[in-house]
Amino acid sequence: MKSYTELCKDILNAIGGKNNIDSVSHCATRLRLTLKDLSIVSDDETIKKIQGVLGLVKINNSYQIIIGPGVESVYLEFVKVANFQNKASDPEKSGKQSEKKGTWMIKNAATKIVDFISGSFMPVLPVIVAGGLISAILVCCTTFFGMDANSGTYIVLNSIYVGAFTYLPIYVGYNTAKKLNISPMLGALLGAILVSENINGAENLAFLGIPVTTVTYTQSVLPVMFGVLFMSFIYRPLEKYMPKEVKFVLVPVLTMLITVPITLIALGPVATWIGNGLAALTLWLNTNLGWLSVCVMSALLPVILFSGTGGCWYPAIFASFAANGFEGFVMTGLLSANLAIGGVACAASLKLKNKEYKSLALSTGITAVFGITEPAIYGVLIPWKKPFIVAIIASGIGGLFAGLMNVVEYVFSSPSVISIIAFANPDGTMHNFIMAIITMIIAFTAGFVIMLFIKLKEDNVLENQ
């Protein structure tokens, strides 16, 4: 494996250099690049053959380069190699970028929405996973091991959960602003305002005589996204046209004076209603369609993960957690999908004879079991095709059982063997937790066993992709 610096230089050369980059971000496994001129970009095969690149997904001007679990380190090195942070912080260049992005709401709206949500939310996932799993661990410690909820140990550890979820709008606000190429600190400030004790859940509040709807903003995602999106339309003209002598003071002041009231009076409540609607819809699907909804979602998730559109589900997922205290549709389906993909890849390692292919299949299969599936999808399932179909079938089988047993996740975490504790019910009962473990076993076993009966033709398949 080459160094991250060499990998980033190879990618940068393949996409036409740093001047061809409009924006750069990352998710759990992908380096996401929005490019300006596709005519100077190398062909797909050249990019895919770069050592360290597992695959490529193109959606219009968006190039999603599959790296795997080390993508955050690659992203940091890529920004450094491309000197992209310095470029983005140049006000004049930011202004030019904003002009080029002026038509984003008109062209390719669906793609842009998915990219916007993913780019804004994905970098926050480590914070949420840390807080969520700590909360689940504390539930087990107090329920089964007699930990005192008033002890200093509990309070210190619980502060990780509180810090992650209570102030979630701050993290999302920062990343949303960064995604939109405006001041990230102003995005964080808007999030801090929403969760401040004078605003969060405030009653009988008014601004210039206009009533402000009572909204609880802690653990919310959409309100601050909507607010920062509106902020970008205020910030950019001010940044571009304000005289340099007063820009440092007046741009942030005027931006916040306009953005905060509009967010509190209109955007925050509307976003909250949309979030509540999404939560109600997912709960309705899970309650009324039951096993069928989870079965279908589980079967679709390998396709969703392959397409890179999974990020669009996060607002609904978090709205469901906030409204219901659990999520039993997407995350339950993902539990089945992750283990099914892992089972298929591990079985493929037994079917393949080439040592390199066997090693690739086994390592990516183990990674999938631990919650990161894209290396297996792009390294094994897609190149050989048949394993991808098997993963869909096996995931649907696991989802069928999970749906019948009404398995739900109580704290957000990418479902896997090491995060299965997230399915433990806070009330101390074990039924849901046990059913989640059985779901994993069924999904993994179904993928593993079915794959053993499938013939795979090696014949340098990876080189021919």
Side-chain angles (χ1 to χ4, degrees):
M1 176 64 188
K2 62 176 63 179
S3 70
Y4 288 150
T5 301
E6 293 175 322
L7 172 60
C8 292
K9 287 180 178 179
D10 288 346
I11 293 174
L12 196 59
N13 290 332
I15 63 170
K18 64 180 182 181
N19 292 327
N20 196 34
I21 302 173
D22 208 12
S23 66
V24 56
S25 60
H26 72 90
C27 62
T29 55
R30 305 181 185 204
L31 183 66
R32 294 172 176 259
L33 305 170
T34 303
L35 305 181
K36 300 175 183 178
D37 184 0
L38 302 186
S39 65
I40 62 174
V41 180
S42 301
D43 62 87
D44 296 357
E45 300 309 313
T46 299
I47 297 176
K48 290 179 181 178
K49 288 179 180 179
I50 296 174
Q51 186 179 0
V53 172
L54 299 177
L56 172 68
V57 175
K58 294 195 306 182
I59 306 176
N60 301 314
N61 280 40
S62 174
Y63 273 58
Q64 302 177 13
I65 301 175
I66 315 302
I67 302 297
V71 68
E72 184 173 2
S73 298
V74 173
Y75 165 78
L76 294 174
E77 186 64 23
F78 185 85
V79 169
K80 179 180 177 182
V81 169
N83 197 26
F84 195 76
Q85 282 183 321
N86 292 336
K87 175 184 174 182
S89 64
D90 187 325
E92 294 182 4
K93 292 182 179 179
S94 289
K96 292 178 181 178
Q97 287 179 3
S98 67
E99 290 178 6
K100 289 180 176 292
K101 292 186 177 181
T103 59
W104 75 274
M105 294 185 67
I106 301 173
K107 296 181 179 180
N108 307 310
T111 299
K112 292 294 185 180
I113 289 172
V114 171
D115 182 61
F116 170 65
I117 294 174
S118 298
S120 301
F121 192 80
M122 284 292 187
V124 185
L125 289 182
V127 174
I128 297 167
V129 169
L133 285 183
I134 288 295
S135 176
I137 291 171
L138 288 177
V139 167
C140 290
C141 288
T142 54
T143 303
F144 303 110
F145 301 104
M147 177 181 283
D148 183 1
N150 296 315
S151 67
T153 301
Y154 181 94
I155 292 172
V156 169
L157 294 179
N158 190 57
S159 67
I160 301 174
Y161 166 77
V162 173
F165 285 89
T166 301
Y167 306 108
L168 182 60
I170 299 177
Y171 314 131
V172 176
Y174 180 93
N175 281 297
T176 302
K178 190 174 181 181
K179 174 69 178 175
L180 295 171
N181 286 324
I182 64 175
S183 171
M185 295 307 296
L186 291 184
L189 175 58
L190 181 61
I193 292 168
L194 295 182
V195 299
S196 65
E197 61 180 11
N198 293 324
I199 298 298
N200 181 53
E203 299 180 354
N204 302 319
L205 186 65
F207 179 79
L208 297 178
I210 303 173
V212 175
T213 303
T214 300
V215 176
T216 300
Y217 288 108
T218 54
Q219 300 190 30
S220 66
V221 173
L222 285 180
V224 73
M225 279 187 175
F226 279 34
V228 175
L229 181 59
F230 174 77
M231 179 192 294
S232 68
F233 292 100
I234 305 300
Y235 179 89
R236 285 173 178 160
L238 291 174
E239 179 69 28
K240 184 176 181 180
Y241 297 111
M242 187 71 67
K244 292 183 179 179
E245 294 76 11
V246 296
K247 181 182 293 186
F248 179 79
V249 174
L250 290 185
V251 169
V253 170
L254 292 177
T255 297
M256 300 311 294
L257 281 176
I258 298 171
T259 300
V260 172
I262 296 298
T263 300
L264 295 179
I265 294 170
L267 300 178
V270 169
T272 300
W273 296 333
I274 292 174
N276 291 339
L278 291 172
L281 176 60
T282 56
L283 182 61
W284 183 90
L285 288 171
N286 186 236
T287 301
N288 292 278
L289 299 182
W291 60 270
L292 181 59
S293 68
V294 181
C295 178
V296 172
M297 174 54 70
S298 300
L300 288 175
L301 270 164
V303 180
I304 293 172
L305 293 170
F306 165 67
S307 68
T309 57
C312 65
W313 288 100
Y314 284 117
I317 292 168
F318 272 84
S320 181
F321 276 120
N324 309 313
F326 59 83
E327 205 284 327
F329 183 42
V330 181
M331 301 308 289
T332 303
L334 192 58
L335 175 68
S336 179
N338 287 350
L339 270 295
I341 292 170
V344 170
C346 288
S349 71
L350 299 179
K351 302 285 290 184
L352 297 168
K353 298 178 180 179
N354 181 290
K355 290 184 179 180
E356 182 180 349
Y357 295 168
K358 289 175 72 71
S359 176
L360 173 67
L362 180 60
S363 62
T364 58
I366 294 173
T367 303
V369 169
F370 289 118
I372 303 296
T373 55
E374 285 181 307
I377 291 174
Y378 288 93
V380 180
L381 273 60
I382 296 303
W384 277 280
K385 298 180 178 63
K386 290 179 181 179
F388 188 68
I389 298 173
V390 174
I392 292 173
I393 296 171
S395 183
I397 293 172
L400 172 63
F401 175 82
L404 287 171
M405 297 296 106
N406 196 30
V407 175
V408 300
E409 187 178 58
Y410 287 99
V411 295
F412 180 89
S413 180
S414 178
S416 68
V417 169
I418 59 175
S419 63
I420 190 62
I421 195 173
F423 288 81
N425 195 323
D427 67 7
T429 58
M430 295 296 293
H431 176 77
N432 187 78
F433 182 67
I434 294 173
M435 292 303 105
I437 292 176
I438 296 176
T439 298
M440 288 196 307
I441 295 172
I442 291 175
F444 182 90
T445 303
F448 189 90
V449 172
I450 296 174
M451 193 63 233
L452 289 179
F453 290 94
I454 303 297
K455 291 184 179 180
L456 292 178
K457 294 182 179 180
E458 300 184 46
D459 298 333
N460 299 320
V461 65
L462 291 181
E463 286 81 351
N464 294 327
Q465 287 303 304

